[in-house]
Amino acid sequence: MIDDNSCDPESQGDGLVKTEENKDKKIKIKKSKSGKDDIFNKKYDLPENLDSISSVVDSKGISTGYLLVKARDRHDNEIYAKLGEKELALGRCDALAHFAVKARLTGYLSPKGLRTLAATVMECVNEEVYVASHDGYHELMLKGLRYGFYVIGQKAYFFTDAPKLRVKIVNENAFEECASGDFDSWYEGIGKHLVGNPYALVSVLAALASAFARAFGMVIPILMIVAPSSVGKTTLQQIARSVRERADKVDDASGTTNGLRLKMERSPDAPVFLQDAHKVEDIPGFMGLLFLVANGGQRLTSTADQKVNAGTVLSCGLSLSSEMTFMEMVGNSKMSLPEGFSARCFEMVLQGPYGAFHKLPKGVKEPLHNSSTHVLAHACRVRQHLGPCSNSISA
């Protein structure tokens, strides 16, 4: 993104903008043909904290009409903005003004200054990039070749050779509780308790499977943990959540259908954990969401001019817990359970000798409560980094 070549006003001659080596951090500008428009003869002095200006393309390498601009604020934090070229050309600089404020480009905070900055930004594009805006699986189709890669944090792991097109990660949906630690610490606190406890093992494997479902054409898992209260349902979910992030809480499923769908949309290729699924208010709407997740589908709506508006594809996995089976949940409503639902959801009814556990950790004598608390304490304290996943991807 950062180029050491310069856009030096002194290097202009005969109406051509040339590139020269310069020690100062500048942007490389391609040669432009001279014309009657004065824009080719203007001098473009870029602010020092403006690192790069790139043209954004889609997964097929086609221009989207947007520019990705990167700058740094006074604390040296990276600031990105996607600016529409059409809006900049028409003098609509609202997004540019917001970016200029965040990047402390005080010399351009005026209508005339913003128009000057807009002309500079549009002229000084130095490369094309594909923007990966979320963790998970991405796919590029360039000149008949398919490139699949996985994004974790600020790194992209390609399954094959990387394309010539540059991939820039601007993660808009990064989960709040970033993972840390290593595999050894996670295994010592949690992993070793999976041995002899099949319910915990299934819960962890279902969470991991959601990360690779789209990449390898697998079925997106939906796990439903069913048991009475205080048996260890939420503990199993927190154990599974610990492989990705801090497992301090599990959200409640008693929300609106739109709210639950929005949460699922923001977690592509990642497990979503919801407890007390029997409290769902709109059971038909909730069942529709489960089918969308299982099929990797998206919600289709129509616009006023009778055009199809496709929503975000639901590509998350689901780990649910409930005190009732789905058959019992729909039994109190007017709807019936679709026949194909059993092929898309795995209901795991806890019947272990100690509730959620078949084998207790060493030193734990109480049948259930201490066992859950012991493992849960480690799940909340240990924050495991996705090292095993990234190693598998890179291999």
Side-chain angles (χ1 to χ4, degrees):
M1 298 294 289
I2 300 175
D3 199 305
D4 292 329
N5 294 317
S6 65
C7 168
D8 191 351
E10 299 299 329
S11 66
Q12 298 184 7
D14 299 328
L16 296 178
V17 181
K18 301 180 180 179
T19 60
E20 295 181 2
E21 296 291 334
N22 195 300
K23 295 182 179 179
D24 297 331
K25 182 168 60 178
K26 298 288 185 178
I27 302 297
K28 179 181 179 181
I29 300 181
K30 297 180 180 179
K31 292 184 178 181
S32 304
K33 295 181 180 180
S34 59
K36 296 181 180 180
D37 196 339
D38 292 337
I39 190 172
F40 294 111
N41 299 319
K42 290 185 178 180
K43 298 181 180 180
Y44 296 101
D45 297 322
L46 296 179
E48 294 182 357
N49 59 334
L50 191 60
D51 289 346
S52 62
I53 305 171
S54 309
S55 176
V56 179
V57 299
D58 61 13
S59 60
K60 297 181 180 179
I62 302 175
S63 176
T64 61
Y66 285 88
L67 301 177
L68 180 68
V69 186
K70 174 187 175 184
R72 294 182 180 273
D73 61 12
R74 63 177 64 179
H75 302 294
D76 204 36
N77 298 317
E78 293 182 351
I79 299 174
Y80 291 95
K82 287 180 68 174
L83 307 174
E85 294 184 79
K86 178 181 177 181
E87 284 69 22
L88 295 179
L90 295 176
R92 302 169 185 167
C93 301
D94 293 347
L96 181 61
H98 183 64
F99 170 75
V101 171
K102 294 176 63 177
R104 304 301 299 173
L105 303 178
T106 55
Y108 296 92
L109 295 180
S110 65
K112 181 178 180 181
L114 289 173
R115 289 193 296 268
T116 301
L117 182 60
T120 304
V121 167
M122 295 184 65
E123 185 70 13
C124 297
V125 177
N126 63 319
E127 64 177 347
E128 291 184 340
V129 298
Y130 170 80
V131 178
S133 58
H134 60 79
D135 281 350
Y137 180 69
H138 296 258
E139 193 173 79
L140 300 176
M141 180 63 73
L142 304 173
K143 297 182 179 179
L145 298 178
R146 190 184 304 272
Y147 300 90
F149 63 97
Y150 207 93
V151 173
I152 300 176
Q154 295 299 319
K155 292 185 179 181
Y157 300 88
F158 281 86
F159 298 149
T160 58
D161 294 336
K164 294 182 179 180
L165 177 65
R166 185 179 179 89
V167 174
K168 186 64 182 175
I169 300 174
V170 184
N171 205 332
E172 299 174 353
N173 296 328
F175 48 88
E176 297 178 359
E177 292 289 350
C178 297
S180 62
D182 53 29
F183 177 80
D184 292 336
S185 61
W186 177 84
Y187 181 81
E188 182 62 28
I190 300 175
K192 66 181 182 181
H193 299 299
L194 302 183
V195 179
N197 286 302
Y199 294 150
L201 182 61
V202 170
S203 183
V204 169
L205 292 179
L208 291 175
S210 61
F212 301 100
R214 283 200 303 166
F216 298 101
M218 300 165 54
V219 177
I220 297 178
I222 298 179
L223 176 64
M224 177 73 155
I225 304 173
V226 182
S229 178
S230 301
V231 172
K233 302 185 301 295
T234 305
T235 300
L236 294 182
Q237 290 182 294
Q238 290 176 307
I239 291 174
R241 190 177 180 183
S242 69
V243 301
R244 184 174 186 261
E245 57 190 321
R246 186 178 178 90
D248 55 349
K249 66 176 182 177
V250 176
D251 292 329
D252 200 279
S254 60
T256 64
T257 302
N258 289 334
L260 295 176
R261 181 174 59 247
L262 182 59
K263 179 178 178 61
M264 296 175 188
E265 289 178 355
R266 292 180 176 179
S267 303
D269 305 297
V272 172
F273 299 91
L274 297 172
Q275 64 176 334
D276 295 333
H278 57 276
K279 297 180 181 179
V280 171
E281 301 172 359
D282 181 11
I283 294 181
F286 186 65
M287 296 294 293
L289 283 181
L290 298 186
F291 270 90
L292 284 179
V293 171
N295 298 333
Q298 56 192 147
R299 186 168 180 262
L300 302 178
T301 58
S302 62
T303 59
D305 54 353
Q306 300 301 309
K307 292 184 178 180
V308 177
N309 185 22
T312 304
V313 174
L314 297 184
S315 59
C316 64
L318 277 179
S319 175
L320 309 172
S321 66
S322 173
E323 296 181 11
M324 305 168 62
T325 65
F326 276 111
M327 184 64 71
E328 294 171 335
M329 290 171 59
V330 300
N332 298 327
S333 64
K334 296 181 180 180
M335 68 169 294
S336 59
L337 190 66
E339 184 177 350
F341 183 75
S342 60
R344 293 169 171 83
C345 178
F346 177 67
E347 287 187 325
M348 184 171 67
V349 181
L350 304 185
Q351 297 177 336
Y354 307 111
F357 298 94
H358 288 72
K359 181 181 178 181
L360 296 178
K362 292 182 179 180
V364 177
K365 297 181 180 180
E366 293 294 328
L368 172 66
H369 222 48
N370 285 351
S371 176
S372 300
T373 304
H374 175 78
V375 181
L376 176 60
H378 285 282
C380 292
R381 186 168 62 249
V382 179
R383 301 164 64 184
Q384 160 68 3
H385 181 69
L386 281 170
C389 295
S390 61
N391 290 339
S392 300
I393 293 171
S394 60

